[in-house]
């Protein structure tokens, strides 16, 4: 997906992926990562997700990365949060009490930016990327985050020939192939339903690298 696709989507105000409530898979399965609660959590392709507020409320420090300045501005205004603007080598952004929000391309994020990150929360991030970008996304994450990083990753699988993404179909086999060399991958939840007449399965993975 080109950056303009996302900028246009935010400008149009039609952001169907945004959830007005915390994600239930996050609140139900985050404890499976077995964290203390104070660790820094990376939220790639974060949009204006309320899940970042939930993670911060648990005591985590959140590092969100998002292409759209509008998304981050809406996150602040809609949640009545005050923040200091920051300027970074490759990003502009905001510093909040328990959160750093970087505005720019995720693929420019460095290991230095991710110092102390112990976990990743991926909801609507890997599935937002077309097939050729997904391997690059995982390779980049793995290259900037140390071994031992834990992931909560939510994906969905459906017949891609019947519907075009995003969100794209990222079936279990692909998740297992992308993370083939990790310590463990556990599918902790799976639910199937019909979406616009097409069967769809949503899955939640806990990954220990
Ligand atoms: C499907 S949305 C999901 C947002 C959020 N994770 C959520 O659950 O609401 C994907 C987001 O990724 C952002 N995005 C796409 N490509 C990106 C990139 N290369 N770097 C940073 N953000 C990107 C888009 O602007 C969009 O807000």
């Amino acid at each position: 997906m080109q950056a303009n696709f996302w900028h246009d989507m935010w400008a149009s105000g039609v952001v169907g992926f945004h959830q007005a409530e915390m994600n239930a898979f996050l609140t139900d399965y985050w404890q499976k990562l077995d964290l203390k609660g104070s660790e820094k959590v990376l939220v790639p392709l974060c949009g204006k997700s309320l899940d970042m507020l939930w993670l911060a409320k648990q005591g985590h420090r959140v590092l969100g990365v998002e292409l759209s300045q509008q998304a981050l501005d809406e996150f602040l205004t809609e949640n009545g949060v005050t923040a200091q603007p920051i300027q970074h080598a490759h990003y502009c952004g905001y510093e909040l009490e328990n959160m750093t929000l970087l505005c720019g391309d995720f693929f420019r994020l460095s290991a230095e930016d991710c110092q102390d990150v112990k976990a990743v929360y991926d909801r609507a991030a890997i599935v937002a990327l077309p097939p050729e970008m997904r391997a690059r996304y995982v390779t980049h994450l793995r290259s900037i985050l140390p071994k031992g990083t834990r992931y909560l990753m939510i994906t969905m699988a459906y017949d891609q020939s019947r519907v075009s993404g995003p969100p794209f179909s990222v079936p279990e086999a692909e998740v297992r192939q992308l993370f083939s060399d990790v310590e463990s991958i556990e599918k902790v939840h799976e639910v199937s339903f019909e979406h616009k007449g097409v069967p769809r399965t949503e899955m939640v993975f806990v990954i220990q690298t």
Side-chain angles (χ1 to χ4, degrees), residues 3-207:
N4 276 346
F5 170 88
W6 295 107
H7 289 309
D8 291 349
M9 187 175 279
W10 281 104
S12 75
V14 183
V15 284
F17 53 79
H18 178 69
Q19 298 185 306
E21 303 290 336
M22 312 297 173
N23 187 280
F25 295 144
L26 170 66
T27 55
D28 288 352
Y29 293 104
W30 186 249
Q31 85 282 1
K32 290 261 183 197
L33 265 59
D34 203 18
L35 299 165
K36 288 203 279 291
S38 54
E39 296 87 347
K40 195 191 269 192
V41 178
L42 172 63
V43 184
L45 286 61
C46 64
K48 57 173 179 176
S49 174
L50 298 179
D51 297 340
M52 295 192 285
L53 293 176
W54 186 87
L55 287 165
K57 206 169 167 195
Q58 308 315 301
H60 292 293
R61 173 140 200 98
V62 173
L63 174 61
V65 185
E66 167 58 47
L67 207 51
S68 165
Q69 173 87 47
Q70 182 181 335
L72 297 184
D73 288 344
E74 289 180 12
F75 176 81
L76 299 181
T77 51
E78 289 173 11
N79 296 299
V81 183
T82 50
Q84 290 297 320
I86 52 169
Q87 195 59 49
H88 172 286
H90 305 305
Y91 298 99
C92 53
Y94 295 107
E95 196 66 48
L96 289 69
E97 197 189 337
N98 278 326
M99 220 178 271
T100 303
L101 300 174
L102 297 179
C103 181
D105 184 3
F106 159 79
F107 291 99
R108 301 205 75 175
L109 200 65
S110 67
E112 197 183 331
D113 299 325
C114 293
Q115 262 179 20
D116 304 326
V117 167
K118 300 280 189 259
V120 175
Y121 172 58
D122 178 320
R123 185 261 161 190
I126 194 168
V127 299
L129 301 172
E132 63 280 6
M133 280 179 88
R134 295 200 285 268
R136 199 178 145 219
Y137 168 77
V138 173
T139 302
H140 190 64
L141 277 171
R142 303 285 307 282
S143 73
I144 58 175
L145 296 171
K147 187 168 159 44
T149 305
R150 296 164 197 189
Y151 294 64
L152 190 76
M153 179 170 275
I154 301 165
T155 74
M156 63 182 75
Y158 62 87
D159 183 351
Q160 193 76 86
S161 69
R162 294 182 64 187
V163 192
S164 57
F168 294 97
S169 176
V170 182
E172 178 172 359
E174 181 173 338
V175 176
R176 291 191 180 277
Q177 188 254 320
L178 287 170
F179 289 92
S180 57
D181 60 339
V182 296
E183 198 72 24
S184 66
I185 305 185
E186 188 189 356
K187 184 171 64 180
V188 292
H189 186 80
E190 180 177 290
V191 59
S192 296
F193 54 94
E194 260 198 21
H195 181 72
K196 296 183 178 167
V198 179
R200 179 184 279 196
T201 300
E202 285 188 354
M203 293 157 287
V204 183
F205 297 93
V206 169
I207 301 167

